[in-house]
Amino acid sequence: MIMAPIAAGLDLGTTSVKAALFSIGDEVELVCEKSVDYPLATPEPGAAEQDADTVCDSALEALASAAKEADAGDIACVSFSGAMHSLLAVDDKGCALTPVLTFADTRAAQQAADIRRRHDGHAIYERTGTPLHAMSPLAKLVWLRAARRDAFESAAKFVSLKEYLCHRMFGRFVVDHSIASATGLLNLERLEWDEGALEVAGIEASRLSELVPTTEILGEPGAAAHDLGLPPGVQFVIGASDGCLANLGSAAVEPGIVSATIGTSGAVRSVVNAPITDPRGRTFCYALTRDHWVVGGPISNGGIVLRWFKEQLGGAEISVAKRLGEDVYDLFTAMAERAGPGADGLLFLPFLAGERAPNWDSNARGALFGLSLEHRKEHVVRAILEGVVYSLWRVEQIRSELAGPGRQVRVSGGFTKSKLWRQILADVFGVPVSTPIGYESSGLGAALLGLVATGDVKDLAAAAGLVAVRDTQEPDAGNRAIYDEMLRLYDEVYDRLQPLFDDITALQTRAELGRAGTGDNSKG
């Protein structure tokens, strides 16, 4: 029988929700995890939308399923993690008027550029800590006002997906400081809605949710969540954003301990005790608690690049994997090992989905540089794995300038299943890379924050101390020398191609519009 207490983390992601239950003893142990997928709609160029009620139904299904598998009577708390930068409009009854615009929705790119140019965008960034980019809810609000004016004007409130779920479950429009700090609308110093940003967005603070700490206890759920199978008295904690919670779930809350995540996208982050922004606006600063702030930067291209390779060029490996009953990604990494560090001089810029930090360029595009007749498929796979890590390294250089050098990296996300990819990260960063127990660290971070909120764990440091490390990769000095040269080339190739990104994107847009005009939606 599972010993009490159990803490649950409910993580609302971009393509699925995960409910993870953890038993708390001298170390954290995973009891069970349930995941429910949901679609991401792309009805027009740049769109990346979800149906809010479908996501919320999936969240309640996942939590009920996890509670059923575990001993629900031992569950002490449920805490929430949510993807950042989502936005939807709701009416005065809390019903959705628009789909959820996710972080990946880029239709507000022009509005972000206009804000930077017309409204002293850098000053807004310095006050709010959110870079001005299409992902930002500030830019999304300006886009909604222009493109969906009826919904914008009739909306009672504008909320994130996590806020929508909290309203459905508890009847309250509340937003934690962590999610709020990723909107571009929160003043970091005052932890209040920023008047200048609200003016640019064209709204008043009354059309946003009530601000609360990430340790806010939400009360008893209402009728919308009565079938969860949880006993009376379970504490529900609002929690924080997925990126910030990944640091806690990775035990990366001390100075010098850096969190690196590669899932669909990726990020590098560290925790500091006061807000820090970059003079050049290249990094974010988001709240974890009032005394813990997360500094770093996200990349748009992580595992999504390898998935693209699988879908477009991996037919042979897919067939082999099916025949052998293996994971096709394991075959890819085995191929990449044959290529060796630096992929024999093959360099890949992985910007298939544009790029966020450090250049915040939605028009950035991918490039394979140095390709010769001697290169084979395994070199391309190796170059993809390395290119993603190179892009993280560019962010890490800036993070270290602001928050101090890292002496160890704690990793999370799906890439942790690949020992090779973790070793590449260790070699490029030049420091040990440790993998905490489990690789879905945001849900674990939510559960740990919940225990801090309920008083079952003293503080964040004590919570991080409960997380065990599975293994550690040490950097290889010989590989590091190769990567130093590749990183120099990576920076130079990027700098030379960057002026051409707008031109090639314009050409691609014309081609896409041409296909749409002829009814040809094929890509090849």
Side-chain angles (χ1 to χ4, degrees):
M1 182 175 176
I2 296 166
M3 300 296 291
I6 294 175
L10 188 65
D11 182 26
L12 296 172
T14 306
T15 57
S16 67
V17 59
K18 297 180 180 68
L21 272 57
F22 302 92
S23 64
I24 311 301
D26 294 335
E27 293 180 352
V28 172
E29 293 185 10
L30 179 66
V31 175
C32 68
E33 181 179 72
K34 298 296 181 180
S35 178
V36 179
D37 296 337
Y38 34 74
L40 182 70
T42 56
E44 63 184 53
E49 300 177 344
Q50 292 169 327
D51 179 78
D53 288 303
T54 297
V55 175
C56 290
D57 290 343
S58 300
L60 297 177
E61 177 187 345
L63 184 56
S65 179
K68 183 177 180 179
E69 180 168 319
D71 186 342
D74 290 332
I75 297 176
C77 66
V78 177
S79 181
F80 299 92
S81 165
M84 292 178 279
H85 312 304
S86 63
L87 183 76
L88 72 152
V90 298
D91 63 20
D92 56 2
K93 294 182 175 62
C95 298
L97 296 173
T98 66
V100 179
L101 309 184
T102 70
F103 86 93
D105 196 299
T106 60
R107 288 174 290 182
Q110 185 59 54
Q111 284 74 21
D114 290 344
I115 295 168
R116 284 194 296 268
R117 185 172 61 253
R118 299 176 183 175
H119 298 283
D120 194 358
H122 188 71
I124 294 174
Y125 159 75
E126 287 184 320
R127 297 196 306 272
T128 67
T130 302
L132 278 164
H133 182 267
M135 69 179 187
S136 167
L138 168 57
K140 287 183 169 77
L141 282 168
V142 178
W143 178 83
L144 274 175
R145 190 172 64 191
R148 304 288 187 270
R149 193 163 187 86
D150 288 348
F152 180 88
E153 291 182 346
S154 60
K157 288 190 181 293
F158 300 96
V159 300
S160 70
L161 186 53
K162 185 148 81 92
E163 292 163 69
Y164 189 80
L165 175 62
C166 286
H167 183 264
R168 267 193 52 171
M169 291 183 68
F170 305 98
R172 300 174 62 188
F173 276 120
V174 289
V175 59
D176 60 84
H177 291 144
S178 187
I179 289 288
S181 65
T183 63
L185 299 164
L186 184 76
N187 187 292
L188 299 184
E189 294 291 342
R190 300 198 309 268
L191 289 178
E192 298 173 355
W193 296 120
D194 185 85
E195 293 179 0
L198 294 178
E199 184 177 354
V200 171
I203 63 171
E204 297 178 348
S206 60
R207 299 179 79 184
L208 299 174
S209 295
E210 174 192 357
L211 291 160
V212 296
T214 57
T215 52
E216 176 82 359
I217 295 176
L218 294 167
E220 291 289 330
H226 73 281
D227 290 330
L228 292 175
L230 298 173
V234 172
Q235 303 268 41
F236 287 85
V237 179
I238 193 168
S241 66
D242 55 358
C244 293
L245 288 169
N247 271 67
L248 178 56
S250 301
V253 296
E254 298 178 9
I257 306 296
V258 177
S259 169
T261 300
I262 302 177
T264 302
S265 55
V268 177
R269 304 170 298 265
S270 64
V271 174
V272 293
N273 59 14
I276 298 175
T277 55
D278 174 43
R280 294 170 58 185
R282 296 168 294 178
T283 55
F284 58 61
C285 181
Y286 301 142
L288 178 52
T289 71
R290 287 181 180 271
D291 302 316
H292 298 84
W293 299 80
V294 176
V295 176
I299 62 170
S300 295
N301 301 276
I304 193 173
V305 184
L306 199 56
R307 187 174 70 192
W308 168 85
F309 180 87
K310 179 197 75 171
E311 293 172 352
Q312 303 302 326
L313 301 170
E317 288 74 27
I318 292 172
S319 297
V320 171
K322 286 181 178 178
R323 188 172 70 250
L324 299 178
E326 296 184 6
D327 187 331
V328 67
Y329 292 107
D330 291 340
L331 296 184
F332 287 147
T333 53
M335 289 170 57
E337 285 190 89
R338 299 199 299 267
D344 287 344
L346 188 61
L347 187 68
F348 183 65
L349 271 61
F351 309 134
L352 305 191
E355 190 52 290
R356 289 182 287 171
N359 295 96
W360 302 97
D361 187 355
S362 297
N363 289 340
R365 291 295 181 265
L368 196 59
F369 178 74
L371 190 64
S372 72
L373 291 173
E374 284 72 36
H375 288 119
R376 298 179 300 278
K377 204 169 189 178
E378 57 259 38
H379 293 98
V380 177
V381 178
R382 179 87 186 208
I384 287 173
L385 302 183
E386 292 175 340
V388 171
V389 175
Y390 297 161
S391 62
L392 282 178
W393 171 243
R394 297 181 80 225
V395 180
E396 168 58 12
Q397 289 178 294
I398 299 162
R399 186 217 60 79
S400 64
E401 292 173 8
L402 299 172
R407 53 183 170 81
Q408 189 178 61
V409 175
R410 300 286 174 87
V411 292
S412 61
F415 95 114
T416 60
K417 290 182 284 188
S418 168
K419 184 176 181 179
L420 172 64
W421 215 346
R422 300 196 313 266
Q423 187 62 52
I424 291 170
L425 186 71
D427 294 341
V428 171
F429 278 48
V431 297
V433 167
S434 296
T435 308
I437 181 173
Y439 63 87
E440 296 294 350
S441 58
S442 296
L444 175 54
L448 292 172
L449 183 63
L451 291 170
V452 173
T454 59
D456 290 290
V457 175
K458 179 182 177 182
D459 53 27
L460 292 194
L466 296 171
V467 180
V469 170
R470 189 172 75 225
D471 52 34
T472 298
Q473 267 78 43
E474 297 289 339
D476 182 292
N479 293 350
R480 172 69 196 196
I482 295 170
Y483 286 128
D484 281 342
E485 180 64 15
M486 295 299 290
L487 288 164
R488 183 190 66 78
L489 284 171
Y490 182 92
D491 284 340
E492 187 163 349
V493 171
Y494 176 87
D495 290 342
R496 294 194 181 199
L497 289 182
Q498 193 276 331
L500 301 176
F501 287 151
D502 290 348
D503 293 338
I504 196 66
T505 301
L507 188 152
Q508 292 169 350
T509 301
R510 290 196 300 271
E512 187 167 358
L513 291 174
R515 286 194 299 272
T518 61
D520 178 10
N521 293 317
S522 66
K523 292 291 184 180

